[in-house]
Structures are given as C-alpha cells and as structure tokens.
Amino acid sequence: MISFSSIQHRSTQNSTTITTAVASSSASTTNRTFLLPHHHTHKFYFNSPPFFQTVDLPRRLCIRAIDAAQPYDYEAQLVNRFSQSGKLKIAIIGFGNFGQFLAKAFIRQGHIVFAHSRSDYSSIAQSLGATFFFDTHDLCEEHPDVILLCTSIISTESVLKSLPIQRLRRNTLFVDVLSVKEFPKNIFLQYLPSHFDILCTHPMFGPESGKNGWQNLAFVFDKVRIGNEESRLTRAETFLDIFKNEGCRMVEMTCAEHDKYAAGSQFITHTMGRILEKLQLDSTQINTKGYETLLNLVENTASDSFDLYYGLFMYNKNAMEQLERLDLAFEALKKELFGHLHEVLRKQLFGKSEESPRLVLAKLPSKLAKNGTPLLPVSKSETETVVNNNN
Ligand code: NAP
C-alpha cells in the first residue's frame, strides 16, 4: 500500500528546501529533497494516485517531481497519450536558415520541436518555442518520433554518420528536406538499419519564396521505406499533413524523377539568378515588369547559401548536362546575333550579289533540343569552312 507520509518545508534566504518522505511500499521509504528558487509558487501537486491531493504551503510553490515514484509503464503511458493527440516530436538536425523556417510551422501546428546544429542556436530555438540540444545523445534520448535532416547537402553524410542512432526508438522515422533527392535516399538506405522508416521530401520553396505562406507551393515526397504497422503509416501521414495543412500542393514522385525535373528547373533558376547577381543589376525608375522579375530572381536565389547551390550541382547527376546546355544556348544565341551583324556588314561591303552568310548560320538550330537530347551544334570548323568559302 503506497501512502504519503510527511512534508517538511524550510526557507532560507535564496531558496526553499522541501523534504518529502514518501513510502513507496510498507517496506521502503524514499526521501527526496528539492531546492527551489523563491519565485516559485508554493503549491504541491501530486497527480498520480493515491497522491491526489494539493498541499497548500505558506507561499505558493509548484513542484513537478518527475522522478517521483510512478507506475512502471508511466513513460509508455505518456508516449501513448501523446501519440493519440496526433502531435509529433520532431528533431531538426541542422537548425540554420531553412531548419528555423520549418520549425515555425511545426510549432504553430502544435508539434514539439527539438533542434540540434553545429552552431549554438539555443536562444533562437527558445524564442521560437523549440528545445535546443548541444549534444545529439541527449536529443536522441528524448525519443523523437521524427529525425528531420536539414543540414547542407554537402555535410549530410557526415552528420548522419555522427548521430547516435542506437539511442533512438527502433522504428524512428527519418525525413530529409534536401534539395536533391537520390543522394539522401541512398545514404539513408546505406546507413540506417532496416527498422527505421525513411521519407524523402523536398519543399519546393524557401524562407524567401514561402514567407507569405505555403498555399499552392509544391511539396515533393517519396515514401522510400515505411513499415506496415498502422502507427508507422499514421506517423508518416501526420508528418505530411503538416505541409498539407499549410496548403502545399503535395506531389508524390520518385527521388530519381525529382532530380531529373529539378535539374532542368531549380538548378537552371539558381544558375541564372547567380549569373545575374554577378552583373550587379540596378533598379531604375524605368524598370519593366520583366526586369523586375529578374531582380526578384536575384533576391530569391542570392539569399541561399553557396553550399546549397553547390549541392544542387554536385549531388544531382543531371546538373552538369544542364550547365552544358546553358553554355551551348548562350553560344548559339551569340552566333545568331553576330550572324545578323555580319550579314549587314557584308551587304554594305559587297552588295546583294553575295550569298548571305546568314544562310550558313541558319543551319544552327535556333532552339536547343528538349531536355534529355543534348544539342549537337554545327561544328565550328563546319561553320567556318562555309563562311570562308563565301569570302
Ligand atoms: P545550407 O547552407 O544548405 O545548410 C545550412 C545548414 O547546414 C545549417 O544548419 C548548418 O549548421 C548546417 N551545416 C553546414 N555545414 C555543416 C557541417 N560541416 N557540419 C554540420 N552541419 C553543417 O542552407 P539552408 O538554407 O539552411 O538549407 C538546409 C537544407 O534544406 C539543405 O539541404 C537545402 O538543400 C534544403 N532546402 C533549403 C531550401 C531553402 O530555400 N533554403 C529549400 C528547400 C530545401 P550551422 O548553421 O549550425 O552551421
């Protein structure tokens, strides 16, 4: 029979000492001492039977004695109660620009957010309502439902390898938000034991483009490996629901498909933004709508780290081809321009009787072949030969 036996309350200048003697069985007695600062309210709450009583002390004092005697499955009960609430404990690994941006939405939707990063973001985490952990061991011992990798693409592998995953619950869900997808999928499959679930995702927006809400913004996901148990399926859906609830356009596709599309869209976008940034464009009084679009593009892409851009190039096998296509397209465009100029000059010099070099240059396709079929331009020597023959 468990019974409450005594409480002693003693105040000193800086703290209040409370000693409770709690008989956890007729045979054993546990003494607990709590040192509490003065500003705490002096009221005891014992919320596990039979301590269903409140003891009013001279000053109001609130104690949460988490290590007090509890039923043996107390933690399991708490976990169950929490999971039934439909809320997740999400640990964000990499609490930089994008990690903080996502944390705000998670917290707004009532999820518990833990954070860890190479740098100290403890005060930012606190201001957002998240708990910052300097040590990943401590974080993993909190048994988050989801580990969300949000580090730079290039550091992801070393960060994943450094996590003490043996401290996690066996079927923890691993999610990533990297801007490339085949790479994290492969390293998850390589380093995580088969009892962990894997969900690869890419929100197709960032702190700049998503600052006014996520309505209709695309969210790509690939359920790479989710266990069949109801609770695991539900957990993955609950995570995806966060983005659905914000109004995202949910797009399920394989990581390989994502990388093919993203190289032709996202990588090109970032590359153009960075090229334009190098031109140091000025805003003028006579900006056209088109020019404003370019300035916005620079703003949208330049605020991302170079690591991110480099990751798009380095860890997407389709990116190199896109860079070559850009090169070819620029060359083809210059040739078209210079061809016109050349024609005008020749007409002035030789009159109309000469064969127009434009005819020669017209052999260059005005547009590149569609993605996946790289342009084979008329070779330089071929073009030059014809032009020389005309001379
Ligand atoms: P980022 O430069 O790609 O990544 C910065 C994060 O990586 C920070 O948390 C940083 O930690 C961590 N990091 C960098 N080098 C590290 C290292 N050697 N060891 C450990 N951690 C390291 O910028 P981001 O915008 O925050 O992006 C984070 C992830 O989200 C990237 O994978 C990116 O592809 C993806 N993503 C970004 C956007 C976006 O618009 N920004 C959109 C979708 C997806 P510290 O800050 O502690 O140094």
Side-chain angles (χ1 to χ4, degrees):
M1 168 70 184
I2 301 174
S3 67
F4 175 82
S5 63
S6 76
I7 292 178
Q8 291 164 21
H9 174 248
R10 182 160 48 85
S11 285
T12 62
Q13 198 177 355
N14 296 318
S15 64
T16 303
T17 305
I18 306 292
T19 303
T20 64
V22 179
S24 55
S25 71
S26 52
S28 71
T29 300
T30 315
N31 284 309
R32 295 172 190 282
T33 301
F34 306 91
L35 271 180
L36 297 158
H38 266 320
H39 61 265
H40 280 230
T41 51
H42 286 200
K43 192 163 202 162
F44 278 102
Y45 297 99
F46 293 100
N47 55 6
S48 56
F51 305 137
F52 245 86
Q53 48 187 302
T54 302
V55 183
D56 274 318
L57 294 171
R59 250 175 288 151
R60 287 170 59 76
L61 173 68
C62 177
I63 296 178
R64 289 194 182 87
I66 49 170
D67 60 343
Q70 300 290 357
Y72 75 97
D73 62 343
Y74 183 66
E75 194 187 339
Q77 284 176 20
L78 281 183
V79 169
N80 272 346
R81 225 178 300 155
F82 189 70
S83 64
Q84 279 161 16
S85 72
K87 300 300 175 199
L88 297 170
K89 286 195 281 184
I90 304 172
I92 300 179
I93 311 294
F95 206 56
N97 195 19
F98 198 58
Q100 292 168 28
F101 172 68
L102 290 179
K104 289 177 199 155
F106 297 167
I107 291 166
R108 198 168 53 238
Q109 289 196 29
H111 300 284
I112 290 181
V113 173
F114 305 138
H116 168 77
S117 215
R118 180 178 57 166
S119 315
D120 176 5
Y121 292 115
S122 50
S123 49
I124 294 179
Q126 194 182 13
S127 70
L128 296 178
T131 309
F132 190 82
F133 290 83
F134 290 93
D135 190 325
T136 49
H137 289 259
D138 293 337
L139 183 147
C140 290
E141 279 173 0
E142 291 291 323
H143 291 165
D145 301 294
V146 179
I147 295 278
L148 179 69
L149 277 197
C150 200
T151 51
S152 66
I153 298 168
I154 53 176
S155 66
T156 300
E157 187 167 6
S158 61
V159 170
L160 180 66
K161 279 191 333 196
S162 73
L163 291 180
I165 56 175
Q166 72 280 6
R167 297 199 186 279
L168 293 166
R169 279 214 311 270
R170 276 174 59 78
N171 68 17
T172 305
L173 169 64
F174 274 76
V175 183
D176 82 285
V177 288
L178 269 58
S179 306
V180 292
K181 292 274 54 77
E182 280 209 276
F183 168 66
K185 174 187 165 179
N186 291 338
I187 60 165
F188 274 161
L189 289 172
Q190 184 183 345
Y191 292 112
L192 296 179
S194 56
H195 50 78
F196 287 122
D197 287 350
I198 300 173
L199 174 66
C200 289
T201 79
H202 184 200
M204 304 299 296
F205 50 88
E208 191 54 40
S209 52
K211 66 182 172 200
N212 298 320
W214 303 355
Q215 198 68 34
N216 287 327
L217 300 177
F219 180 87
V220 175
F221 65 98
D222 183 1
K223 293 176 186 169
V224 173
R225 185 175 71 203
I226 309 289
N228 283 332
E229 289 160 44
E230 191 57 39
S231 60
R232 293 165 81 163
L233 296 167
T234 307
R235 181 178 55 190
E237 288 306 327
T238 306
F239 182 81
L240 292 172
D241 280 347
I242 299 175
F243 296 88
K244 227 184 267 177
N245 294 342
E246 296 288 324
C248 287
R249 192 160 45 80
M250 308 298 285
V251 186
E252 186 165 11
M253 65 168 64
T254 64
C255 291
E257 282 173 324
H258 166 278
D259 282 3
K260 200 164 134 250
Y261 292 134
S265 58
Q266 189 190 25
F267 179 67
I268 293 276
T269 309
H270 279 251
T271 303
M272 296 313 298
R274 286 188 181 267
I275 291 172
L276 293 170
E277 188 199 9
K278 292 203 181 300
L279 294 177
Q280 303 199 45
L281 303 177
D282 282 328
S283 184
T284 71
Q285 290 173 330
I286 56 164
N287 287 356
T288 59
K289 289 274 178 215
Y291 187 66
E292 293 281 352
T293 315
L294 294 188
L295 293 178
N296 285 339
L297 176 63
V298 175
E299 200 179 308
N300 259 320
T301 48
S303 54
D304 287 328
S305 71
F306 189 80
D307 273 0
L308 197 162
Y309 176 59
Y310 179 66
L312 296 181
F313 171 68
M314 196 57 196
Y315 292 86
N316 186 339
K317 64 177 186 209
N318 309 290
M320 180 58 98
E321 183 193 324
Q322 294 302 330
L323 214 51
E324 279 166 6
R325 283 170 58 79
L326 265 181
D327 239 1
L328 289 174
F330 191 46
E331 281 307 312
L333 196 62
K334 276 197 298 186
K335 280 191 178 130
E336 213 175 324
L337 280 178
F338 296 151
H340 279 271
L341 181 63
H342 199 179
E343 185 184 12
V344 172
L345 290 177
R346 287 183 69 88
K347 272 184 190 159
Q348 284 176 3
L349 286 173
F350 305 112
K352 285 188 181 174
S353 58
E354 292 281 319
E355 189 199 343
S356 165
R358 189 171 169 196
L359 292 177
V360 175
L361 289 155
K363 288 180 183 172
L364 276 177
S366 60
K367 293 212 171 91
L368 297 194
K370 284 289 256 180
N371 256 332
T373 40
L375 169 75
L376 292 173
V378 176
S379 72
K380 218 175 180 181
S381 57
E382 194 184 334
T383 312
E384 274 163 6
T385 316
V386 185
V387 171
N388 287 340
N389 287 346
N390 278 338
N391 282 340

